[in-house]
Amino acid sequence: MNQISNSGADLIALQEVETDKYYNYFLPALKAQGYEGCFCPKSRSKTLPEEERKHVDGCAIFFNKNKFGLHKEKYIDYSQLAIANAEGADDMINRVQTKDNIGIVCCLDIKEPSHGTRHSKLVILNTHINWDPEYSDVKLIQNIMFMNEVEAFVKEIKGSYSIPMVVAGDFNSTPDSAVIEFLIKSQISTEHHEFHGLKYHGFLKKANGECLGNKNGCKHFKHGFKLKSCYSEDLLDKLRYTNYTYDFKGILDHIFHSKDTLRTVGVLGGIDVDWLKRKQNNRLPQRPLPLRSLPINFRVRTH
């Protein structure tokens, strides 16, 4: 909590927050510091008795209530979306529906818009994508469903693709993955090798509406937002790791923002790996960093 408080962030996105810890620790502690919050537990919480339900983790968003007011929120349940979109896509049930990952999207009213900006709202997204490296297709489908739901949400609030947007999450995906390619390039080939040739074409065709075709006849699924990572290529040397364990050392957590309406003016640097290597375990969690994932933080301004 000290690390969160000392960051001075106006927006906070957390993953793997237990339901009980959200309501009885994070929310009251951050409310006392001037924040309000939204929380979405993983879908299995709906089927569990109350005592077990409080241990189910989820995604949380907190915002500085002096700068923002909650306009609308939406919870995204990938398991239920898989069921709803299973027609013509057998593996939506076989592989995607069995994973109870979730996402949350909030539209915030900006109480005092910056001088010269025409925007009075900001959208913030937070998600936790499936962890398993063997299920890269599931990660990609979850991410596609996520952005598809976000597009519908923006239409509901009568926004446009240029609305200021921050996308944060534990994507369990490295910077060279299809998940990150889709977010940054705004499209992904329906024949991408990370789909593993599995049967998702019915869903992709239904969700996409019109596909983008190229001269080779290859189809692409797309989203309408223009996003960039706050840790662009020239800043990646500042963040070599968000996870540093025995069996994996690399970047799995990411923050993106709308390219045309926000610009990065500062980022939090990464951990001193030389310091970590001198520690006995050479991994995280590690005192004084009792976290499996390292925090990432950035500062933006409106164009």
Side-chain angles (χ1 to χ4, degrees):
M1 180 57 72
N2 286 339
Q3 196 168 36
I4 294 173
S5 301
N6 292 337
S7 72
D10 291 323
L11 300 170
I12 300 167
L14 303 177
Q15 305 84 38
E16 297 188 82
V17 178
E18 283 192 3
T19 300
D20 180 65
K21 294 292 190 296
Y22 172 79
Y23 287 106
N24 295 311
Y25 178 65
F26 285 99
L27 186 59
L30 288 170
K31 269 194 169 185
Q33 298 178 48
Y35 293 91
E36 291 291 349
C38 303
F39 177 71
C40 176
K42 287 183 176 176
S43 56
R44 68 176 179 273
S45 66
K46 300 173 185 176
T47 63
L48 295 174
E50 186 174 351
E51 184 61 28
E52 295 179 37
R53 192 182 307 147
K54 66 183 184 181
H55 298 298
V56 175
D57 66 284
C59 290
I61 289 175
F62 297 94
F63 56 90
N64 183 335
K65 66 181 181 182
N66 292 321
K67 296 187 177 182
F68 301 101
L70 181 62
H71 181 81
K72 189 171 185 176
E73 62 192 304
K74 183 176 186 177
Y75 303 125
I76 300 171
D77 182 337
Y78 300 132
S79 179
Q80 290 301 310
L81 284 173
I83 294 172
N85 291 283
E87 184 178 355
D90 297 346
D91 289 304
M92 292 293 283
I93 295 295
N94 300 335
R95 293 173 69 84
V96 183
Q97 185 271 329
T98 59
K99 309 296 187 292
D100 68 339
N101 302 95
I102 43 84
I104 180 172
V105 51
C106 295
C107 176
L108 304 177
D109 292 314
I110 303 173
K111 292 189 174 181
E112 295 183 8
S114 301
H115 179 70
T117 181
R118 67 184 187 280
H119 299 286
S120 61
K121 292 181 173 58
L122 178 144
V123 173
I124 177 169
L125 289 55
N126 187 15
T127 189
H128 187 192
I129 297 295
N130 182 249
W131 68 272
D132 195 336
E134 298 298 319
Y135 283 76
S136 63
D137 57 306
V138 173
K139 299 174 197 274
L140 188 48
I141 289 292
Q142 286 179 338
N143 206 34
I144 287 172
M145 291 193 297
F146 187 43
M147 296 309 294
N148 206 43
E149 290 297 303
V150 171
E151 286 193 331
F153 177 82
V154 169
K155 290 178 182 177
E156 288 172 15
I157 62 171
K158 302 189 185 310
S160 68
Y161 287 123
S162 63
I163 193 168
M165 179 177 289
V166 174
V167 183
D170 180 354
F171 290 91
N172 277 305
S173 302
T174 56
D176 61 349
S177 67
V179 165
I180 306 306
E181 177 185 339
F182 172 65
L183 285 171
I184 292 177
K185 294 186 177 180
S186 303
Q187 65 178 42
I188 196 77
S189 169
T190 57
E191 305 298 327
H192 196 285
H193 67 88
E194 289 195 26
F195 281 121
H196 300 311
L198 297 170
K199 298 177 181 178
Y200 294 116
H201 286 84
F203 161 68
L204 293 173
K205 183 177 180 181
K206 174 184 175 183
N208 201 35
E210 55 178 295
C211 285
L212 295 177
N214 62 22
K215 61 184 179 181
N216 298 317
C218 180
K219 300 295 184 180
H220 289 73
F221 185 87
K222 62 179 180 176
H223 69 78
F225 303 102
K226 295 179 181 179
L227 302 173
K228 67 173 295 184
S229 171
C230 66
Y231 287 90
S232 54
E233 289 185 10
D234 57 328
L235 294 174
L236 276 178
D237 61 329
K238 296 181 181 293
L239 186 75
R240 295 165 58 192
Y241 310 101
T242 61
N243 296 70
Y244 199 94
T245 64
Y246 280 129
D247 54 358
F248 178 83
K249 296 174 177 62
I251 298 173
L252 297 177
D253 306 275
H254 303 265
I255 305 177
F256 306 89
H257 63 78
S258 47
K259 186 185 299 185
D260 295 335
T261 51
L262 298 174
R263 62 185 177 93
T264 303
V265 295
V267 296
L268 179 68
I271 191 172
D272 183 346
V273 178
D274 290 334
W275 170 83
L276 193 54
K277 286 178 178 178
R278 291 194 296 269
K279 293 292 184 178
Q280 183 178 359
N281 293 331
N282 187 27
R283 65 178 174 86
L284 293 175
Q286 173 85 251
R287 290 185 179 180
L289 295 171
L291 304 168
R292 180 179 59 81
S293 298
L294 291 165
I296 51 179
N297 194 345
F298 80 125
R299 183 179 293 112
V300 292
R301 289 178 182 163
T302 55
H303 277 316

